Amino acid sequence: MTEKTQVFAAIGQLVRYGLRCGLLPEEERVYARNLLLGELRLDDYTETAAPDPADLSQILRPMVDYAVENGLTRGDSPTARDLFDTRLMNCLTPRPAEVQRVFREKYAVSPQSATDYFYKLCGDCNYIRRDRIARDVKWVTETPYGTLDITINLSKPEKDPKAIAAALSAGSSSYPECALCRENEGYAGRLDAPARQNHRLIPVTVNGSPWFLQYSPYVYYNEHCIVFNSVHTPMKIDGDTFRKLFSFVRRFPHYFVGSNADLPIVGGSILSHDHFQGGRYSFAMEKAPVEQTFSVRGFEDVRAGIVRWPMSVLRLDSPDETRVIALAEKILAAWRQYTDESAVIFAETGGAAHNTITPIARKNGGDYELDLVLRNNLTTPEHPLGLYHPHREFHHIKKENIGLIEVMGLAVLPARLKSELSALQSAVLSGADLCADETLAKHAGWMQEVLARHPEFSAGTAEKILQQEVGHVYCAILEQCGVFARDPAGRLAFERFLDSLN
């Protein structure tokens, strides 16, 4: 059992943490302490001398343990614990109006000063759980297209069976309407919806409309932000999308911003709420050069080219963003209705539209730059999950959609791969039969190919070899998602589309 003295010590440590980080001013020391006592249903307090742990999770653990033991939580699942520790952090987190006020003050100094402040706050208040993100497995793989980033995501919580069962018995709720809606700010959460009491939003005007800026709690890359419409409205790629993207880039020129496509299979996980993702990070696709230029009649002033990338990407740039937007609208309109049966590209089948675009905008020196990734969500009997989607032979590594982040060169791989790759390494080194293991059998054929390519596979080289081979699988997946193949026939087909623009 957790003793009260341990809880008192943790309360003192958490308050001092808030003071050190700047979440709390000195004037709110006692106020924050009393809020924490209230959450823990404690009526008294004794100051207890104890060293301050470096890790915030270590400070929170005794208080959450005490809450579980005394029936203050919704059980003892990881989800229930997250719900409660978020309540504790809310006692330290500045109120939304205060966060917005400071952000405006910092923005008057510079946009970067404002985002630096906000990003730090989101980590300090544990909305971004730094301890979990630190557990993500990351490496890079060199490919013909540049250095790809590979990550096995361990920070985004997996579905907790206990929480799922409890949520089912508790009934469903449609509030907030989705995980992005502004109503998440301050929401206490449920066993089937994360607590967001320490979540803060920044109002931003995007192309004349009210939107909000927040950071992703899972931070797949540096300053991974989400910009979303204040109204719950579906994703839609059109000319206004390009205007919105550059509207944001003008306000935050140190950030890129992009949109997932607006169709299933090639879109993101949330198509029901219009939103973008951005941040301060240079992906491999941004660094990739233009390998072939082209021009469109009437837009000779806009530099345009095909990017050397496994997917089919057009890059437009000009000092005049309106010219980039106008050409992008022309390309989008042409692509929406483009069919090339010889290249297995169909604008629609059975009344269902297939062609769309994943756009990414950024400032490059004095120029406005826009990458347009051509997408198509056609399915076939051989590829029922999508022709331009990870094919069956790679589903043992990844079968999920390839969205904006992965399009740009950062693989977000499922958490299962951490244990599977470790078990695979051990099994191969011990000479075990992979096909006899239900979990590893799906990797057996691929592993045969890996061993044929790497006779040096040993205890000292295995981990590195497996990581690099996974990276090469990801690269091959990106090639499969390209609507125009990276071969002479594919290039001719690409050029036929470009010719259709004139």
Side-chain angles (χ1 to χ4, degrees):
M1 294 290 289
T2 307
E3 299 293 333
K4 271 191 177 182
T5 53
Q6 293 175 273
V7 178
F8 291 156
I11 289 174
Q13 291 166 344
L14 187 57
V15 170
R16 290 192 295 274
Y17 167 87
L19 292 167
R20 284 197 307 275
C21 291
L23 293 173
L24 293 173
E26 177 61 38
E27 295 84 349
E28 294 182 10
R29 177 192 290 266
V30 174
Y31 173 77
R33 177 201 300 160
N34 287 334
L35 289 179
L36 291 166
L37 289 170
E39 293 292 353
L40 292 158
R41 303 293 189 267
L42 293 171
D43 298 324
D44 61 337
Y45 176 76
T46 302
E47 191 76 47
T48 304
D52 292 342
D55 191 335
L56 175 59
S57 64
Q58 294 177 31
I59 298 174
L60 292 168
R61 188 172 300 121
M63 290 182 279
V64 177
D65 287 344
Y66 178 87
V68 169
E69 293 161 7
N70 288 273
L72 303 181
T73 63
R74 305 180 194 184
D76 190 19
S77 67
T79 302
R81 286 175 168 267
D82 283 357
L83 291 172
F84 192 80
D85 73 18
T86 304
R87 284 167 57 183
L88 297 178
M89 290 307 300
N90 185 48
C91 297
L92 277 64
T93 306
R95 296 287 288 270
E98 173 64 9
V99 174
Q100 293 169 24
R101 182 191 66 79
V102 175
F103 187 91
R104 288 193 298 269
E105 286 183 356
K106 300 283 188 183
Y107 189 88
V109 176
S110 73
Q112 184 173 325
S113 177
T115 55
D116 284 350
Y117 155 75
F118 188 40
Y119 187 61
K120 179 178 182 299
L121 179 138
C122 290
D124 290 344
C125 74
N126 213 36
Y127 171 71
I128 296 173
R129 293 178 180 261
R130 292 170 175 148
D131 61 315
R132 294 183 184 173
I133 291 162
R135 297 201 297 263
D136 287 349
V137 181
K138 299 180 179 181
W139 69 90
V140 297
T141 297
E142 297 299 327
T143 75
Y145 308 102
T147 304
L148 301 184
D149 295 303
I150 315 295
T151 178
I152 297 177
N153 172 45
L154 303 174
S155 56
K156 188 172 185 177
E158 297 192 35
K159 299 295 184 182
D160 174 29
K162 290 182 181 178
I164 292 171
L168 286 173
S169 63
S172 62
S173 170
S174 59
Y175 181 90
E177 195 167 353
C178 80
L180 290 179
C181 286
R182 68 170 302 183
E183 286 79 14
N184 284 280
E185 186 178 38
Y187 187 59
R190 308 183 301 272
L191 291 173
D192 62 345
R196 290 291 184 251
Q197 288 123 315
N198 57 350
H199 178 36
R200 297 294 180 263
L201 303 174
I202 300 296
V204 292
T205 301
V206 175
N207 197 36
S209 299
W211 284 48
F212 289 98
L213 169 67
Q214 68 170 74
Y215 286 104
S216 166
Y218 312 118
V219 192
Y220 293 139
Y221 51 85
N222 186 49
E223 296 182 41
H224 178 184
C225 71
I226 300 172
V227 192
F228 65 94
N229 199 319
S230 63
V231 179
H232 182 83
T233 187
M235 298 279 292
K236 184 181 181 183
I237 301 295
D238 58 14
D240 274 346
T241 302
F242 307 138
R243 280 181 274 277
K244 291 170 186 173
L245 292 174
F246 280 124
S247 172
F248 181 82
V249 167
R250 280 200 311 275
R251 293 202 62 184
F252 300 95
H254 58 302
Y255 276 7
F256 81 89
V257 67
S259 175
N260 265 303
D262 55 356
L263 294 178
I265 299 176
V266 295
S269 58
I270 301 178
L271 294 178
S272 61
H273 197 134
D274 195 15
H275 70 285
F276 306 142
Q277 296 183 75
R280 185 151 48 146
Y281 191 74
S282 293
F283 289 88
M285 192 176 81
E286 177 187 346
K287 300 172 185 175
V290 166
E291 63 181 358
Q292 180 178 329
T293 61
F294 68 94
S295 63
V296 178
R297 191 177 304 114
F299 293 92
E300 290 81 3
D301 56 320
V302 179
R303 291 181 293 276
I306 299 173
V307 179
R308 180 175 174 75
W309 193 244
M311 297 182 70
S312 307
V313 185
L314 301 177
R315 178 167 295 160
L316 315 178
D317 68 273
S318 168
D320 185 348
E321 68 178 276
T322 64
R323 297 294 290 159
V324 173
I325 291 168
L327 179 52
E329 287 185 286
K330 181 180 179 67
I331 293 171
L332 174 62
W335 179 245
R336 287 284 195 194
Q337 61 185 6
Y338 187 75
T339 290
D340 183 344
E341 293 187 17
S342 65
V344 200
I345 295 171
F346 295 89
E348 64 89 20
T349 57
H354 296 306
N355 289 348
T356 185
I357 279 176
T358 298
I360 302 102
R362 64 184 75 90
K363 199 77 185 295
N364 187 353
D367 290 342
Y368 290 92
E369 191 168 270
L370 184 66
D371 284 350
L372 302 175
V373 188
L374 305 181
R375 311 298 302 273
N376 180 288
N377 74 346
L378 179 71
T379 60
T380 67
E382 184 182 359
H383 301 289
L385 297 183
L387 176 59
Y388 305 107
H389 177 86
H391 290 182
R392 186 179 293 107
E393 67 265 27
F394 295 139
H395 286 181
H396 66 105
I397 298 295
K398 182 176 177 65
K399 65 185 295 185
E400 297 81 12
N401 294 355
I402 298 299
L404 170 68
I405 294 170
E406 294 180 306
V407 162
M408 295 185 291
L410 191 160
V412 182
L413 302 177
R416 63 174 173 81
L417 277 182
K418 181 182 180 183
S419 59
E420 288 180 11
L421 291 176
S422 177
L424 189 61
Q425 176 180 330
S426 298
V428 171
L429 292 174
S430 66
D433 180 5
L434 300 183
C435 293
D437 186 303
E438 184 178 351
T439 301
L440 300 183
K442 61 179 174 286
H443 298 294
W446 172 67
M447 198 62 220
Q448 274 189 323
E449 298 172 1
V450 170
L451 293 174
R453 284 192 293 270
H454 295 280
E456 76 278 16
F457 193 94
S458 66
T461 63
E463 182 179 20
K464 185 71 171 177
I465 288 172
L466 286 176
Q467 286 183 344
Q468 295 311 304
E469 289 290 336
V470 167
H472 292 311
V473 166
Y474 167 56
C475 184
I477 285 173
L478 291 184
E479 289 179 330
Q480 291 176 342
C481 294
V483 293
F484 295 112
R486 297 283 307 178
D487 59 26
R491 179 47 53 95
L492 287 174
F494 208 156
E495 290 172 353
R496 286 197 297 272
F497 169 66
L498 297 179
D499 289 343
S500 74
L501 299 174
N502 287 304

